[in-house]
């Protein structure tokens, strides 16, 4: 009788908590994310749904700028970074990191301006905010200005303001005329009445917004862990793409949103650009590399396999089938 009781208890615990809870301590890993928003939301969704736990992982998210995230990655202070642009830039400069998955294959930014500004041409003689010099937003801003006949630096003053939240506040305080704003920021400012001058992806569509970067050392030593991490995020992608309610709930909890109507609009916008598998073809990789090479004024011929390693994502996809 007693033996049957303990057998039944064991089966109950195994079904309720799963093998990792019973037999293995979860491995704690750190992930750096450059800002609060849709990308951090997806990792939060994976945590809430137990997808990381199913893979034996406990993930701590740490907010830090992309360049700092890469330094933390190389130093071993974090195991993963979601700053895709900074990862590509570092890899092109010979630093031993790889982008192993992308979240969105296009830049998810829109040019948001003061309410009286009707077009990008109206920015002549005004100030436009950047998060940093020589980065993704800097270069995308210049592309949008130039293609609308506005000369950066000569006809527009470009100033470094800081991260996205700081830029939002600079626009609200009328300290700058315009800036490239990420999702959900452009929806938030749009609801406040600020002008929308267009999407960056309509000018250049080969740059990722978010992804997963790791060091070469991590791939060599902990390949199984990296694949497990990717598997958890793939599960979160699938849930987000197929379950509107779960996606909106995750945006309200992890995406910096408190307004349900904004969360609903953000869900729809992000659903249109979220990659279901995190993969990219060779054309996309070369275009993304060319973009960063131009940003950094580098003329070297570099192979995509020095920057990207999507074999881990393919391995994760195969394990989920």
């Amino acid at each position: 009788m007693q033996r049957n009781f303990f057998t039944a208890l064991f089966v109950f615990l195994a079904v309720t908590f799963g093998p990792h809870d019973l037999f293995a301590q979860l491995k704690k890993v750190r992930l750096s994310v450059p800002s609060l928003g849709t990308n951090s939301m997806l990792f939060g969704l994976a945590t809430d749904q137990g997808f990381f736990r199913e893979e034996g992982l406990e993930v701590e998210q740490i907010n830090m700028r992309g360049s700092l995230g890469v330094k933390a990655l190389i130093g071993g202070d974090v195991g993963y970074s979601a700053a895709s642009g900074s990862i590509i830039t570092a890899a092109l400069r010979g630093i031993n990191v790889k982008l192993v998955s992308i979240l969105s294959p296009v830049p998810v930014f829109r040019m948001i301006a003061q309410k009286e500004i009707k077009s990008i041409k109206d920015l002549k003689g005004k100030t436009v905010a950047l998060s940093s010099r020589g980065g993704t937003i800097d270069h995308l801003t210049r592309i949008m200005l130039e293609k609308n006949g506005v000369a950066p630096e000569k006809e527009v003053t470009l100033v470094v303001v800081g991260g996205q939240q700081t830029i939002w506040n600079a626009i609200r305080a009328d300290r700058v005329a315009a800036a490239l704003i990420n999702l959900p920021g452009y929806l938030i400012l749009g609801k406040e009445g600020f002008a929308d001058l267009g999407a960056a992806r309509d000018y250049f569509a080969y740059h990722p917004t978010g992804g997963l970067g790791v060091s070469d050392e991590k791939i060599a030593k902990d390949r199984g862990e990296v694949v497990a991490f990717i598997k958890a995020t793939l599960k979160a992608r699938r849930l987000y793409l197929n379950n509107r309610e779960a996606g909106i709930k995750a945006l309200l909890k992890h995406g910096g949103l408190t307004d349900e109507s904004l969360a609903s609009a953000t869900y729809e916008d992000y659903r249109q650009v979220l990659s279901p598998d995190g993969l990219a073809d060779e054309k996309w990789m070369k275009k993304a590399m060319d973009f960063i090479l131009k940003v950094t004024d580098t003329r070297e011929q570099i192979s995509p396999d020095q920057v990207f390693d999507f074999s881990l994502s393919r391995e994760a996809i195969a394990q989920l089938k």
Side-chain angles (χ1 to χ4, degrees):
M1 182 74 177
Q2 189 178 32
R3 181 179 178 183
N4 290 338
F5 169 77
F6 283 114
T7 300
L9 178 62
F10 179 84
V11 171
F12 170 77
L13 291 172
V15 170
T16 303
F17 297 106
H20 287 301
D21 295 282
L22 285 175
F23 304 118
Q25 186 176 2
L26 296 175
K27 185 174 183 180
K28 294 182 179 181
V29 298
R30 288 179 168 181
L31 163 72
S32 71
V33 293
S35 62
L36 190 67
T38 49
N39 297 337
S40 61
M41 173 279 302
L42 199 69
F43 298 112
L45 177 61
T47 297
D48 290 348
Q49 294 294 323
F51 296 147
F52 284 123
R53 179 175 288 273
E54 289 172 6
E55 300 301 328
L57 301 175
E58 181 180 331
V59 177
E60 177 188 3
Q61 280 196 51
I62 302 172
N63 290 334
M64 62 177 72
R65 292 200 316 270
S67 57
L68 289 178
V70 173
K71 290 179 181 177
L73 199 66
I74 297 301
D77 296 316
V78 300
Y80 303 86
S81 169
S84 53
S86 295
I87 292 294
I88 296 173
T89 300
L92 287 171
R93 288 173 170 165
I95 297 173
N96 293 324
V97 293
K98 295 288 188 297
L99 193 68
V100 298
S101 177
I102 57 174
L103 292 180
S104 169
V106 297
V108 188
F109 297 95
R110 300 187 74 88
M111 183 72 75
I112 302 300
Q114 296 299 330
K115 300 169 186 179
E116 70 277 6
I117 296 174
K118 306 303 179 184
S119 70
I120 290 178
K121 289 183 179 180
D122 292 340
L123 294 175
K124 288 183 179 181
K126 300 187 184 299
T127 300
V128 175
L130 304 174
S131 55
S132 63
R133 291 281 180 181
T136 298
I137 290 179
D138 184 1
H139 198 57
L140 287 172
T141 298
R142 292 171 187 272
I143 288 174
M144 293 181 73
L145 290 170
E146 288 168 355
K147 289 192 175 181
N148 283 278
V150 181
E153 308 293 2
K154 293 181 180 180
E155 295 179 301
V156 166
T157 301
L158 300 176
V159 296
V160 175
V161 172
Q164 281 287 307
Q165 293 284 347
T166 306
I167 292 175
W168 299 4
N169 292 331
I171 289 177
R172 285 170 171 147
D174 201 15
R175 287 170 41 218
V176 298
L180 276 181
I181 304 295
N182 66 359
L183 183 67
Y186 62 73
L187 291 173
I188 294 172
L189 293 176
K191 190 171 183 178
E192 294 174 13
F194 291 95
D196 186 338
L197 305 184
R201 64 178 176 268
D202 292 339
Y203 293 82
F204 186 84
Y206 296 92
H207 187 75
T209 298
L212 195 66
V214 295
S215 66
D216 290 358
E217 182 181 6
K218 185 78 171 174
I219 294 173
K221 291 184 176 179
D222 297 311
R223 185 180 182 89
E225 179 196 302
V226 178
V227 171
F229 194 107
I230 295 171
K231 281 172 65 181
T233 63
L234 286 171
K235 294 175 187 177
R237 292 170 196 260
R238 293 177 181 181
L239 179 63
Y240 185 90
L241 290 170
N242 295 300
N243 189 321
R244 188 172 185 275
E245 183 180 354
I248 291 174
K249 183 178 178 181
L251 285 166
L252 289 168
K253 184 175 181 180
H254 301 288
L257 294 170
T258 56
D259 184 305
E260 192 158 343
S261 66
L262 276 173
S264 178
T266 300
Y267 173 81
E268 296 299 338
D269 271 29
Y270 194 54
R271 191 176 185 277
Q272 292 177 26
V273 298
L274 177 64
S275 168
D277 55 18
L279 301 177
D281 61 23
E282 188 170 355
K283 177 185 175 182
W284 184 94
M285 287 187 276
K286 287 182 177 179
K287 289 274 191 180
M289 288 170 56
D290 287 345
F291 175 86
I292 298 294
L293 287 170
K294 186 174 181 181
V295 170
T296 56
D297 195 27
T298 303
R299 293 173 176 80
E300 291 183 46
Q301 292 297 314
I302 298 173
S303 171
D305 61 16
Q306 291 178 250
V307 180
F308 305 97
D309 187 352
F310 291 121
S311 67
L312 294 102
S313 285
R314 294 190 184 92
E315 193 174 326
I317 293 167
Q319 290 183 18
L320 286 175
K321 289 182 178 179

